[in-house]
Amino acid sequence: MLKLHLLRATKSASSGPRGRLLLSPRTHSQPRAFSTSLRSKNQADPSSSPTQPTPSREMREVDRLDVLLTRIREKTDPSNSALISVRSPSLWSERLHAAQMKTVAPTGPSATRISPDDPLPPRHMHESYCQVDLPFASNPQFLEKYTNAHGGIRTGMLMEHLDSLAGSISYKHCLGPGQQLDKDIDKRGFYMVTAAVDRLDMLHLLTPYNVKDLRLSGHVIYVGKSSMEVAVRMESTEQGKPVQTMMLGRFTMVCRDAVTHKSRPVNPLILSTPEEKELHAIGEEHKLRKHALQQGSLSKVPPSSAESRILHKLFLNYGEGSVFVSDAESEESFETPVNGVERVWMEDTKVESLTLMYPQSRNIHSKIFGGYLMRLAYELGYANASLFTQCPLRFLSLDGLTFRLPVPIGSALRLTSTICHTTVDEQHRALVNVWVQANVIDSQTGDEQTTNNFYFTWCREDGEMCKRTVVPKTYQEAMQWLEGKRALDLGAEIRGLRRASE
C-alpha cells in the first residue's frame, strides 16, 4: 500500500524548536507517520455522497432558504414578532444572596413548570418568528454605538445579536406565542443552549461606504427530539429599494432539563404547507450532512491523497530548507523569503487574550451569554488576521462554531487565535482563515477546559498582494492548515457560483 510521509522525527525530543516535529522528510525513528493511503478501487469516494457538502448544493440551499423564509414571514402576525429577552431579569445580588442562604430568591408570581412527561403542544413555524430592526443608515446616533474604526459596522456585535435572536426564537417555540421569560425560568423546568452555528456567508458587501438599515429575523425550521434548527437572516431595508438578503445562517439549539441538565424533549412542528415541509426536509438533510462532515473530519480520518500532495508541495516550496543542515541553520534559512513571500510558522501566529467573566454578560440561566463569546472570539480573530496581513480586512464567512461547555460567571476565559491558512486569488489580495479556541479556567482550581471552537474567514479586495504565508510545523498544525484550506476552497467555489448566477 503506497504511503506518502511528510514528517520526520527530530534527533531528540529537544532537537527542534520546542521539541516539535518539523515538516521535513521522515526518518525511521518517527513512531507516528503523517501518511495517507491511496483509496482502493472498491472504496467509495465520500465526496460522491448526497450528504457531503458541495458548493452547488450549499448555494442552492441558501437561495431556497431565502425564498421559503420570506413566504413563512408573510403568515406571521406582526404583533407577535417581538423578541423574548434571553438576558437574566434577576439581580445578581439576589442570586448571590439566595446561594448563601441556600434558598430561592424572591421572584413574585410562580411560573408554570413544564414537566418532561407533559404532552407538548405542536407549533407552526411562523409562531416562533422573531424580528429586530437595526436603523444604522437612518439613525446616526444608533450607528455610533456599532461603528468600527473605519466607519463600518462591528460584525462581532451583529453576531452577538444573531445568537440572541436564535435564543429568543427557540424559547418562543417552546413557550408558545405571547409568552415571556421571567425570573422563574428555573421553575419552568428547562432552558435552551446554543450547540453550534453552521456556515454563514456574507452574500453582499457591507462596507463603510454602503451602511444600510438592517433587519434580523428568523424562526424554527426543523426539530428533532431535543434539538431544533433555527434559520436566521440579515436583510437590508433601504427605503425605496427592494429588500436584499445580506447574510443567512443556521443555529442548532438544544433543550436541557433545568435540574438534571440532560437533554429534554421539545415541541414538535406542524407541517401543513408545502413551504413548511420543504424547510423541514432541508433541516433533516442538513442534520445528516453535519454527521457526514464530522465523520470526514481530519481529526478522525487521514487527508486524501490529493491533500497529501498539496502538503508535500508546501514543504518543497516553503519548508524549512535542506534536511542536511543543522536546526540553527535551518531556522535561519527559513527567515529568507521565497519568491518574495515571507514564511511564518503557524505557532508564531498565535495571539491570546484572557478575560474575566462578569455577571453583566450572563444569560437567562446565569451562564455567560453565547453571543458575547462569539463577539470576543470574532474581534480577537480579526485583530490577529489584520496584524498578520498588515491591513484592514472584510468579513467573508463564519465557517463553523461549536459550543461544548457553558462558561460560568467568575471564571477566566482564555481565547487563542491561530492563522490556519492564507492564500490569494483573482478577486482577493488576501484570504485568511483563523481558528479561535475558547478555554474556560476555574479561578479556584486552575482547571482548564475547551468550551468553544470558532472558524472565521476574512479578505482584502484591493491594495497590494499579501506577501506572507503561514507554514505548519507539526502534524496537528498540518491538519489545521488543511481544514483552513478546505474552508477557503468551499467559500471560493460558493462565491464563484453566486457571481455566475447574478
XYZ file of all heavy atoms in Angstrom, residues 98-143:
351
model
N -29.290 34.360 47.534
C -30.013 33.093 47.558
C -29.052 31.921 47.697
O -29.336 30.942 48.394
C -30.848 32.949 46.288
N -27.896 32.009 47.028
C -26.908 30.926 47.121
C -26.340 30.831 48.534
O -26.115 29.731 49.057
C -25.794 31.158 46.108
N -26.111 31.989 49.165
C -25.585 31.978 50.527
C -26.593 31.428 51.522
O -26.255 30.695 52.446
C -25.164 33.396 50.925
C -23.973 33.925 50.149
C -23.739 35.408 50.396
O -24.494 36.056 51.109
N -22.669 35.941 49.810
N -27.857 31.772 51.316
C -28.904 31.319 52.214
C -29.445 29.949 51.831
O -30.244 29.363 52.559
C -30.064 32.340 52.215
C -29.649 33.749 52.608
S -28.972 33.816 54.288
C -30.427 33.394 55.238
N -28.989 29.446 50.642
C -29.458 28.165 50.109
C -30.969 28.136 49.977
O -31.644 27.170 50.309
C -28.981 27.006 50.987
C -27.467 26.862 50.998
C -27.037 25.645 51.792
C -25.521 25.513 51.786
N -25.060 24.335 52.541
N -31.497 29.281 49.513
C -32.932 29.394 49.253
C -33.115 29.968 47.859
O -32.167 30.425 47.222
C -33.601 30.326 50.271
O -32.989 31.632 50.175
C -33.444 29.787 51.679
N -34.329 29.963 47.412
C -34.645 30.532 46.112
C -34.909 32.016 46.274
O -35.640 32.425 47.182
C -35.875 29.837 45.495
C -36.236 30.468 44.148
C -35.612 28.353 45.353
N -34.335 32.824 45.427
C -34.529 34.269 45.501
C -35.989 34.614 45.254
O -36.685 33.928 44.508
C -33.647 34.971 44.456
N -36.497 35.671 45.922
C -37.897 36.055 45.711
C -38.135 36.423 44.250
O -37.360 37.168 43.665
C -38.060 37.277 46.622
C -36.678 37.775 46.877
C -35.793 36.578 46.857
N -39.170 35.883 43.684
C -39.392 36.063 42.253
C -40.793 36.490 41.904
O -41.133 36.582 40.737
C -39.094 34.738 41.504
O -39.930 33.717 42.053
C -37.650 34.344 41.654
N -41.662 36.696 42.879
C -43.016 37.106 42.539
C -43.882 35.914 42.194
O -43.635 34.794 42.629
N -44.906 36.107 41.340
C -45.825 35.026 40.981
C -45.066 33.846 40.379
O -44.180 34.018 39.553
C -46.756 35.681 39.950
C -46.667 37.143 40.244
C -45.280 37.389 40.732
N -45.414 32.650 40.793
C -44.716 31.454 40.352
C -45.045 31.129 38.904
O -46.189 31.221 38.470
C -45.096 30.269 41.231
O -44.451 29.103 40.799
N -44.019 30.748 38.149
C -44.215 30.345 36.762
C -44.730 28.917 36.707
O -44.542 28.137 37.625
C -42.893 30.451 35.991
N -45.366 28.592 35.607
C -45.899 27.248 35.423
C -44.773 26.309 35.011
O -44.119 26.532 33.995
C -46.992 27.251 34.345
O -48.025 28.147 34.733
C -47.555 25.856 34.168
N -44.550 25.272 35.808
C -43.498 24.318 35.495
C -43.991 23.351 34.431
O -45.091 22.802 34.520
C -43.053 23.548 36.733
C -41.984 22.513 36.438
C -41.511 21.797 37.682
N -40.543 20.768 37.367
C -39.262 20.972 37.184
N -38.784 22.201 37.287
N -38.447 19.988 36.889
N -43.168 23.145 33.415
C -43.496 22.207 32.350
C -42.766 20.906 32.631
O -41.538 20.839 32.584
C -43.081 22.772 30.973
C -43.765 24.121 30.741
C -43.428 21.794 29.873
C -43.321 24.805 29.463
N -43.500 19.873 32.966
C -42.900 18.589 33.277
C -42.439 17.905 31.991
O -43.092 18.040 30.949
C -43.913 17.700 33.996
O -43.439 16.371 34.083
N -41.318 17.170 32.044
C -40.865 16.451 30.845
C -41.846 15.385 30.390
O -41.774 14.928 29.251
C -39.527 15.847 31.280
C -39.548 15.856 32.764
C -40.378 17.018 33.164
N -42.764 14.994 31.284
C -43.762 13.983 30.924
C -45.045 14.591 30.383
O -45.919 13.867 29.896
C -44.086 13.110 32.145
C -42.869 12.351 32.651
O -42.058 11.933 31.805
O -42.729 12.184 33.883
N -45.181 15.920 30.474
C -46.386 16.564 29.959
C -46.397 16.520 28.438
O -45.339 16.660 27.797
C -46.445 18.031 30.410
C -46.705 18.153 31.902
O -47.142 17.157 32.501
O -46.447 19.242 32.458
N -47.571 16.318 27.824
C -47.632 16.372 26.350
C -47.290 17.777 25.870
O -47.752 18.775 26.428
C -49.082 16.003 26.043
C -49.839 16.312 27.296
C -48.885 16.051 28.441
N -46.462 17.858 24.833
C -46.011 19.147 24.317
C -46.856 19.534 23.114
O -46.918 18.793 22.127
C -44.531 19.068 23.919
C -43.564 18.734 25.061
C -42.159 18.511 24.520
C -43.561 19.844 26.096
N -47.523 20.680 23.156
C -48.351 21.094 22.015
C -47.486 21.402 20.795
O -46.454 22.068 20.913
C -49.058 22.348 22.532
C -48.172 22.865 23.625
C -47.551 21.659 24.251
N -47.884 20.928 19.624
C -47.106 21.240 18.412
C -47.245 22.707 18.033
O -48.235 23.365 18.367
C -47.723 20.315 17.358
C -49.106 20.048 17.850
C -49.033 20.068 19.349
N -46.250 23.220 17.315
C -46.235 24.629 16.913
C -46.088 24.749 15.400
O -45.482 23.889 14.744
C -45.044 25.359 17.555
C -44.851 25.122 19.028
C -45.813 25.878 19.873
N -45.420 25.848 21.281
C -46.262 26.035 22.277
N -47.541 26.267 22.041
N -45.834 25.984 23.535
N -46.600 25.847 14.875
C -46.328 26.236 13.491
C -44.983 26.965 13.438
O -44.554 27.576 14.427
C -47.425 27.154 12.965
C -48.722 26.458 12.691
N -48.931 25.677 11.580
C -49.878 26.430 13.413
C -50.163 25.187 11.616
N -50.758 25.625 12.713
N -44.342 26.928 12.279
C -43.068 27.616 12.124
C -43.211 29.106 12.356
O -42.375 29.740 13.016
C -42.482 27.356 10.731
C -41.964 25.956 10.514
S -41.158 25.779 8.901
C -40.723 24.037 8.944
N -44.284 29.693 11.816
C -44.415 31.143 11.902
C -44.677 31.615 13.329
O -44.502 32.796 13.636
C -45.528 31.643 10.975
C -46.893 31.184 11.350
N -47.489 30.062 10.800
C -47.807 31.686 12.239
C -48.680 29.907 11.309
N -48.908 30.868 12.200
N -45.090 30.715 14.229
C -45.345 31.111 15.614
C -44.049 31.449 16.355
O -44.086 32.144 17.376
C -46.088 30.000 16.344
C -47.526 29.822 15.879
C -48.242 28.715 16.618
O -47.674 27.615 16.776
O -49.388 28.945 17.057
N -42.902 30.943 15.883
C -41.626 31.241 16.539
C -40.893 32.410 15.884
O -39.764 32.739 16.279
C -40.720 30.000 16.515
O -40.399 29.627 15.184
N -41.510 33.040 14.899
C -40.853 34.130 14.170
C -40.526 35.298 15.099
O -41.355 35.741 15.887
C -41.741 34.614 13.029
C -41.152 35.758 12.242
C -40.265 35.525 11.202
C -41.471 37.081 12.548
C -39.721 36.582 10.478
C -40.953 38.140 11.830
C -40.064 37.883 10.788
O -39.525 38.922 10.086
N -39.288 35.779 14.979
C -38.838 36.965 15.727
C -38.114 37.905 14.780
O -37.508 37.471 13.790
C -37.902 36.582 16.879
S -38.689 35.730 18.254
N -38.148 39.179 15.105
C -37.531 40.187 14.247
C -37.006 41.343 15.092
O -37.617 41.726 16.090
C -38.570 40.704 13.244
C -38.136 41.876 12.401
C -39.256 42.338 11.478
O -39.919 41.536 10.827
N -39.482 43.655 11.439
N -35.859 41.878 14.687
C -35.321 43.075 15.320
C -34.758 43.973 14.227
O -34.111 43.507 13.286
C -34.225 42.722 16.361
C -33.073 41.956 15.728
C -33.713 43.971 17.050
N -35.047 45.268 14.304
C -34.594 46.234 13.305
C -33.426 47.047 13.857
O -33.445 47.489 15.011
C -35.739 47.173 12.924
C -36.880 46.437 12.241
O -36.610 45.739 11.248
O -38.035 46.545 12.704
N -32.422 47.232 13.002
C -31.221 47.989 13.363
C -31.085 49.162 12.393
O -30.583 49.009 11.273
C -29.981 47.087 13.292
C -30.039 45.802 14.135
C -28.809 44.936 13.867
C -30.134 46.132 15.612
N -31.514 50.378 12.775
C -31.547 51.526 11.855
C -30.194 52.222 11.716
O -30.033 53.389 12.111
C -32.594 52.430 12.505
C -32.462 52.148 13.974
C -32.128 50.690 14.086
N -29.228 51.542 11.128
C -27.880 52.110 11.019
C -27.838 53.335 10.107
O -27.189 54.333 10.423
C -26.906 51.050 10.504
C -26.680 49.918 11.460
C -26.861 48.606 11.068
C -26.284 50.158 12.765
C -26.647 47.554 11.942
C -26.077 49.122 13.660
C -26.253 47.810 13.237
N -28.511 53.262 8.947
C -28.443 54.364 7.984
C -29.344 55.526 8.376
O -28.983 56.689 8.167
C -28.818 53.856 6.589
N -30.491 55.240 8.954
C -31.458 56.295 9.248
C -31.278 56.927 10.628
O -31.910 57.939 10.929
C -32.889 55.729 9.134
O -33.065 54.625 10.008
N -30.418 56.349 11.466
C -30.218 56.875 12.807
C -28.723 56.925 13.133
O -28.157 55.958 13.614
C -30.961 56.001 13.824
C -30.968 56.616 15.219
O -30.129 57.445 15.565
N -31.911 56.198 16.036
N -28.066 58.056 12.843
C -26.619 58.164 13.080
C -26.222 57.911 14.532
O -25.139 57.368 14.787
C -26.297 59.608 12.670
C -27.383 59.985 11.718
C -28.601 59.276 12.210
N -27.066 58.290 15.481
C -26.743 58.051 16.875
C -26.740 56.555 17.192
O -25.920 56.075 17.982
C -27.759 58.776 17.773
C -27.703 60.294 17.675
C -26.338 60.835 18.073
O -25.703 60.366 19.020
N -25.878 61.834 17.330
N -27.650 55.821 16.567
C -27.671 54.375 16.753
C -26.431 53.739 16.115
O -25.800 52.850 16.698
C -28.951 53.799 16.128
C -29.132 52.327 16.368
C -29.671 51.855 17.553
C -28.764 51.400 15.403
C -29.838 50.502 17.786
C -28.930 50.041 15.613
C -29.466 49.590 16.819
N -26.051 54.202 14.927
C -24.866 53.680 14.239
C -23.608 53.896 15.064
O -22.705 53.049 15.082
C -24.721 54.357 12.872
C -23.436 54.056 12.088
C -23.347 52.571 11.742
C -23.375 54.906 10.815
